[in-house]
Amino acid sequence: MSYQAIIITIGDELLIGQTIDTNSAWIAQELNKTGINVKRRIVVADKKADIAEALDASLPHADILFLTGGLGPTADDITKPMLCEYFGGNMVVNETVLAHVKQLFAKRNRPFLERNLKQAEVPDNCTVLFNRMGTAPGMWFEKDERIIISLPGVPFEMQTIVSEEAMPRIRERFKGNAIVHKTLMAIGVGESFIAEQIEDIETALPPHIHLAYLPTPGFVKLRLSSEGSDKEQLQREVDIHADLIRQRLGNVIAATEDIPLEEIVARALQLHRMSLGLAESCTGGYVANRITNVAGSSAFFKGSVVSYANEVKTNVLGVKKETLETVGAVSEATVIQMAENARSILKADITLSISGILGPGGGTAEKPVGLVWMAIAGPNKTISKSFHFFYDRPRNKEMAANAALNMIRLFLEDL
Amino acid sequence: MSYQAIIITIGDELLIGQTIDTNSAWIAQELNKTGINVKRRIVVADKKADIAEALDASLPHADILFLTGGLGPTADDITKPMLCEYFGGNMVVNETVLAHVKQLFAKRNRPFLERNLKQAEVPDNCTVLFNRMGTAPGMWFEKDERIIISLPGVPFEMQTIVSEEAMPRIRERFKGNAIVHKTLMAIGVGESFIAEQIEDIETALPPHIHLAYLPTPGFVKLRLSSEGSDKEQLQREVDIHADLIRQRLGNVIAATEDIPLEEIVARALQLHRMSLGLAESCTGGYVANRITNVAGSSAFFKGSVVSYANEVKTNVLGVKKETLETVGAVSEATVIQMAENARSILKADITLSISGILGPGGGTAEKPVGLVWMAIAGPNKTISKSFHFFYDRPRNKEMAANAALNMIRLFLEDL
């Protein structure tokens, strides 16, 4: 038996494009772990009629309906009274919620205002889902054997309520089919090329295993999915086919799970017991930022000299003025000096340097926008490589950082 | 007359939460500029039946329907033949598209494979929207006076097709009501507090001007929206009310348009003709990354010493060993030395330093997770401040970077 969920997101800000919806993706992942499929996602405006229309259209098709957004303290939030009315209840002050809201205001040294009293009102026909992280409680309604869960839109509040309050109740209620996903992260080659390489493996997949290609700026993600009653059996089958693909594609596959490239690099550094330092020019700290997103990165990451100005390249990194004057900052000679000097300054086992032109300005006929030089200095050798990216500034920065992290990965694999 | 659009996004990856949908937000912004409202957004699976169901349900309610995703070269893409059938056409090879696809493959040094021939096939009942950036063309169908536009899911390809091919045709066809939005960026105070401060202004808003509160990790965005026939008149009215709010809230308002905090700081630096340097520990290059996201930042940004390891704080930034041994890296004395020494090392007019504990590990009773010290050294003074953030590692990093950028903004306002 397979259960279906629909996620309704409420908010004008999502319809005018001011906010990106990350909540739905997170909820979908949580539901998938429990074997519940998300059949559809809908975004509607902060309007009673539009919310009601979406509820009417979705309720017949979903075992579980999630609503997020529209529960905050200010005048533009209308979801709570609307749901109360839709499910035929009355608004009442909930004393537990009231005490919690007052305590939160005290802790944050903010005055408790008359309008905040409303935040403690809930419909009397729902189960309150406690919001440890904020003031707006979640709500659990039931109608015709279907579950309707309303949640605040602030991501970390929503996530806490789902993890701590909603999912335990959902797991108890719905025991569905197992769903198994496995993702291979391919880097450095295109979608069509991969498809051609593994065509025979793909054709021979059993009908209940589906392969999807997801191109992203860093990777082509290859996702194998399978649904059935025996989770262990599914996992074994998916693992076997994933392994066939991995062997065929070789070191193009950077990981066999959907983790960020910085996490892959962090694991490789720890495996080789090596520390990392950086000397970034055009990426402006972005590679260091990615590395330090990994919890525990202080165990292997020394630091970065973000030498955006040329005088920082000479004064701090000791790049020769002569080099900058003759071949320029975006050159093989410069990145080699940056990497090698940074290695002794930062006392790191390996260092990576980057210098390039990300655009929109700064390009010349000889050195066009998108040209990026990188070098890695290690205990026994220094390697250098140039890249050319063809996109706009944000995407070129993303591509350069991905290429840098991948260069570190391959350097470590080669040791 | 007001026109309505619906955006349908196709992709299993969006329903299982593997990918975040940024395309819909971008399309919505473009449509808004032309006075077209997005009434609803829907995400459905890569399944013929689900796409058809969404089309059936949406066509009666929309003047324009956008579909994104499902047009790539690999086996999991089914949208193109499905749409062809839905609108009653036949697939034919389009010679212009074929020539373009072949040329793209040649430019990227990738072999043109048999399966890539399919990418040049289009339904014979659509207008092809040329995809300068990639291989999958956009398609423009018409049915019962409604427009249906199908686009590839890769963001920069989709954006180029919409800007260059779709929007000019849309603007020609639909001349609707004007929509005016204006957003004020409030920083450092909560949603309820703001609502209380401007209650009288909000109550006195004319009925056709709507105020919405959008809390984000960095800001509370206050968005005034208005729709009507006379765009200039709307703009004047919205500006007047925005100005009332801005005056009431004072320097809590960092900007009167929806721009990132780093852009606000960049403008302030350029206004004061001052250069910026950074000495980051716990934020690990994230503040430098934000600053260098601004195009043209090399005009005022010198660089950052990302001193993640204590030895980099001493060796590169010259923080006294004695200070680290007695009061530790997360202390007022350390950040003051970091900022003042970085100012001479990076030769910047002002420098900001950050040292803190973002978690999950590393906290003690005396210095808990979330404690962050910052200092700014300028030509005439150095100021320092401590913060305490209560969230998880990624959010603490975000909050710390926002606090740092805001501290620079206020420092410059005070000069």
Side-chain angles (χ1 to χ4, degrees):
Chain A
M1 170 90 198
S2 169
Y3 294 102
Q4 303 294 324
I6 292 179
I7 303 174
I8 300 176
T9 310
I10 300 162
D12 292 341
E13 67 276 17
L14 293 152
L15 288 175
I16 67 167
Q18 191 166 26
T19 306
I20 306 287
D21 174 25
T22 56
N23 284 343
S24 300
W26 188 88
I27 294 172
Q29 286 177 351
E30 291 304 299
L31 289 174
N32 259 239
K33 289 181 199 159
T34 321
I36 297 168
N37 273 307
V38 177
K39 180 190 164 61
R40 196 184 299 161
R41 288 169 37 191
I42 306 166
V43 183
V44 294
D46 284 317
K47 284 188 195 126
K48 263 190 172 185
D50 289 17
I51 301 170
E53 200 182 305
L55 278 169
D56 291 343
S58 303
L59 270 174
H61 303 290
D63 302 294
I64 311 181
L65 201 65
F66 277 84
L67 293 105
T68 66
L71 295 182
T74 48
D76 58 315
D77 294 312
I78 52 151
T79 310
K80 197 160 62 173
M82 185 269 151
L83 288 178
C84 182
E85 194 186 317
Y86 189 88
F87 293 110
N90 294 300
M91 296 297 280
V92 290
V93 170
N94 180 300
E95 291 303 326
T96 315
V97 176
L98 181 61
H100 171 64
V101 170
K102 282 190 170 167
Q103 188 214 333
L104 271 184
F105 273 75
K107 189 175 159 192
R108 295 176 188 171
N109 278 323
R110 291 194 173 157
F112 184 84
L113 309 168
E114 185 58 30
R115 67 190 314 142
N116 299 119
L117 195 63
K118 268 197 163 174
Q119 294 179 255
E121 283 185 5
V122 293
D124 57 4
N125 54 342
C126 79
T127 303
V128 171
L129 303 176
F130 183 62
N131 180 358
R132 187 165 60 78
M133 304 295 270
T135 56
M139 294 173 282
W140 171 292
F141 298 90
E142 304 201 9
K143 192 186 177 184
D144 306 333
E145 312 217 355
R146 297 168 198 285
I147 307 296
I148 301 93
I149 298 167
S150 171
L151 299 161
V154 180
F156 69 99
E157 296 184 17
M158 181 282 292
Q159 290 174 14
T160 306
I161 299 175
V162 170
S163 302
E164 298 179 358
E165 301 286 326
M167 286 313 295
R169 289 176 169 87
I170 289 170
R171 276 192 292 269
E172 202 168 289
R173 182 77 67 104
F174 300 99
K175 296 190 192 302
N177 259 343
I179 301 173
V180 169
H181 298 297
K182 186 168 185 125
T183 301
L184 300 177
M185 313 291 276
I187 186 162
V189 293
E191 191 181 347
S192 313
F193 178 80
I194 296 170
E196 193 77 9
Q197 292 281 307
I198 62 170
E199 191 166 18
D200 57 325
I201 301 174
E202 189 172 355
T203 310
L205 285 176
H208 62 287
I209 298 185
H210 175 69
L211 175 65
Y213 292 73
L214 310 173
T216 71
F219 295 106
V220 177
K221 299 183 185 180
L222 306 175
R223 191 190 62 231
L224 289 159
S225 305
S226 189
E227 184 177 336
S229 54
D230 184 343
K231 185 163 188 171
E232 282 178 26
Q233 171 67 14
L234 292 176
Q235 189 68 60
R236 270 192 303 274
E237 286 183 346
V238 163
D239 284 347
I240 288 169
H241 289 94
D243 211 49
L244 287 174
I245 296 172
R246 192 188 55 74
Q247 283 176 22
R248 178 73 55 83
L249 294 174
N251 77 356
V252 157
I253 300 296
T256 55
E257 60 186 304
D258 191 352
I259 54 173
L261 190 46
E262 50 269 31
E263 184 72 44
I264 297 169
V265 169
R267 291 183 191 178
L269 284 164
Q270 290 178 296
L271 189 71
H272 288 85
R273 299 178 185 278
M274 289 200 137
S275 63
L276 174 71
L278 300 168
E280 298 180 66
S281 181
C282 64
T283 45
Y286 182 49
V287 180
N289 175 45
R290 294 269 297 267
I291 289 285
T292 57
N293 282 345
V294 179
S297 47
S298 58
F300 56 84
F301 182 61
K302 296 287 186 178
S304 177
V305 178
V306 181
S307 53
Y308 217 58
N310 276 353
E311 58 194 293
V312 178
K313 291 187 187 75
T314 51
N315 296 347
V316 183
L317 284 175
V319 174
K320 289 179 193 148
K321 277 194 180 142
E322 191 198 321
T323 309
L324 295 178
E325 277 158 16
T326 51
V327 291
V330 181
S331 66
E332 184 167 25
T334 297
V335 290
I336 288 176
Q337 289 178 45
M338 283 170 72
E340 291 183 344
N341 297 352
R343 192 164 173 267
S344 63
I345 293 166
L346 298 172
K347 305 203 187 312
D349 296 319
I350 66 170
T351 45
L352 174 129
S353 64
I354 312 176
S355 183
I357 306 147
L358 299 185
T364 62
E366 204 190 334
K367 294 184 181 176
V369 167
L371 175 66
V372 178
W373 271 100
M374 300 186 199
I376 298 188
N380 304 311
K381 64 178 175 186
T382 299
I383 59 167
S384 58
K385 197 174 170 185
S386 68
F387 297 83
H388 197 174
F389 306 111
F390 294 95
Y391 308 103
D392 59 2
R393 181 180 179 85
R395 195 173 159 86
N396 283 341
K397 199 180 201 182
E398 189 70 35
M399 304 280 280
N402 286 332
L405 290 168
N406 193 43
M407 199 164 153
I408 299 171
R409 174 181 80 90
L410 293 171
F411 188 90
L412 290 168
E413 275 191 13
D414 231 37
L415 284 180
Chain B
M1 170 89 197
S2 168
Y3 293 104
Q4 303 294 324
I6 291 180
I7 304 174
I8 299 176
T9 311
I10 300 162
D12 293 340
E13 67 276 17
L14 292 153
L15 288 176
I16 67 166
Q18 192 167 27
T19 307
I20 306 286
D21 173 26
T22 55
N23 284 344
S24 299
W26 189 88
I27 293 172
Q29 286 176 350
E30 291 306 299
L31 289 174
N32 258 239
K33 289 181 199 159
T34 321
I36 296 169
N37 272 308
V38 177
K39 180 190 165 60
R40 195 185 297 161
R41 290 168 36 190
I42 306 167
V43 183
V44 295
D46 283 319
K47 284 187 196 126
K48 262 190 172 184
D50 289 17
I51 301 171
E53 200 183 307
L55 278 169
D56 291 343
S58 303
L59 270 175
H61 304 290
D63 302 294
I64 311 181
L65 200 64
F66 277 85
L67 293 103
T68 66
L71 295 181
T74 49
D76 58 316
D77 294 313
I78 52 151
T79 310
K80 196 159 62 173
M82 184 267 150
L83 287 178
C84 182
E85 196 186 316
Y86 190 90
F87 294 109
N90 294 300
M91 295 298 282
V92 291
V93 170
N94 180 299
E95 291 303 328
T96 315
V97 177
L98 181 62
H100 171 64
V101 171
K102 282 189 171 168
Q103 187 214 334
L104 270 184
F105 272 76
K107 188 174 158 194
R108 295 175 188 172
N109 279 321
R110 291 195 172 156
F112 185 84
L113 309 167
E114 186 58 31
R115 66 189 317 141
N116 299 119
L117 195 62
K118 268 199 162 172
Q119 295 178 252
E121 283 186 5
V122 293
D124 58 4
N125 54 341
C126 78
T127 304
V128 170
L129 303 177
F130 182 62
N131 181 359
R132 187 166 60 78
M133 302 295 271
T135 55
M139 294 172 284
W140 170 292
F141 298 91
E142 305 201 8
K143 192 185 177 186
D144 305 334
E145 313 220 353
R146 297 170 199 284
I147 308 297
I148 301 93
I149 299 168
S150 170
L151 299 161
V154 181
F156 69 98
E157 296 184 18
M158 180 281 293
Q159 291 174 15
T160 306
I161 300 174
V162 169
S163 302
E164 297 180 359
E165 300 286 327
M167 286 313 296
R169 290 176 169 88
I170 289 170
R171 275 191 292 268
E172 202 168 291
R173 182 76 65 103
F174 300 99
K175 295 191 193 301
N177 260 345
I179 300 174
V180 168
H181 297 297
K182 184 167 187 125
T183 301
L184 301 177
M185 314 290 275
I187 187 163
V189 292
E191 194 181 346
S192 313
F193 178 80
I194 296 170
E196 192 77 9
Q197 292 281 307
I198 62 170
E199 191 167 16
D200 57 325
I201 301 174
E202 189 172 355
T203 310
L205 284 175
H208 62 285
I209 299 186
H210 175 70
L211 174 65
Y213 291 74
L214 310 173
T216 72
F219 294 107
V220 176
K221 300 184 185 178
L222 305 176
R223 191 191 63 230
L224 289 159
S225 305
S226 189
E227 184 177 336
S229 54
D230 183 345
K231 186 164 188 170
E232 281 178 27
Q233 170 68 14
L234 291 176
Q235 190 69 60
R236 268 193 304 273
E237 284 182 347
V238 163
D239 284 347
I240 289 169
H241 290 94
D243 212 48
L244 287 175
I245 295 172
R246 190 189 55 73
Q247 284 176 20
R248 178 73 54 85
L249 294 174
N251 78 354
V252 157
I253 300 295
T256 54
E257 60 185 303
D258 191 353
I259 54 172
L261 191 46
E262 50 268 32
E263 184 72 46
I264 297 170
V265 169
R267 291 183 191 178
L269 284 164
Q270 290 178 294
L271 188 72
H272 287 86
R273 299 178 186 279
M274 290 201 135
S275 62
L276 175 70
L278 299 168
E280 298 181 65
S281 182
C282 63
T283 45
Y286 182 49
V287 181
N289 175 46
R290 294 270 296 268
I291 289 285
T292 58
N293 282 345
V294 179
S297 46
S298 59
F300 56 84
F301 183 60
K302 296 287 185 176
S304 177
V305 178
V306 180
S307 53
Y308 217 57
N310 275 352
E311 58 193 295
V312 178
K313 290 187 188 76
T314 52
N315 296 347
V316 183
L317 283 175
V319 173
K320 288 178 195 149
K321 276 195 180 139
E322 191 199 321
T323 308
L324 294 179
E325 278 159 15
T326 52
V327 292
V330 181
S331 66
E332 184 166 25
T334 298
V335 291
I336 288 176
Q337 289 178 45
M338 286 170 70
E340 291 183 345
N341 297 351
R343 193 164 174 267
S344 63
I345 293 166
L346 298 171
K347 304 203 189 309
D349 295 320
I350 65 170
T351 45
L352 175 129
S353 65
I354 313 177
S355 183
I357 305 146
L358 298 184
T364 61
E366 205 190 336
K367 293 183 180 176
V369 166
L371 176 68
V372 178
W373 271 100
M374 301 186 196
I376 298 187
N380 303 312
K381 63 177 174 186
T382 300
I383 59 166
S384 58
K385 197 174 170 185
S386 70
F387 297 83
H388 197 174
F389 305 113
F390 295 95
Y391 308 105
D392 60 1
R393 181 181 179 85
R395 194 172 159 87
N396 283 341
K397 200 180 201 182
E398 189 71 35
M399 303 281 281
N402 286 333
L405 291 167
N406 194 43
M407 201 164 151
I408 300 170
R409 173 182 79 90
L410 293 171
F411 189 90
L412 290 167
E413 275 190 13
D414 230 37
L415 284 178

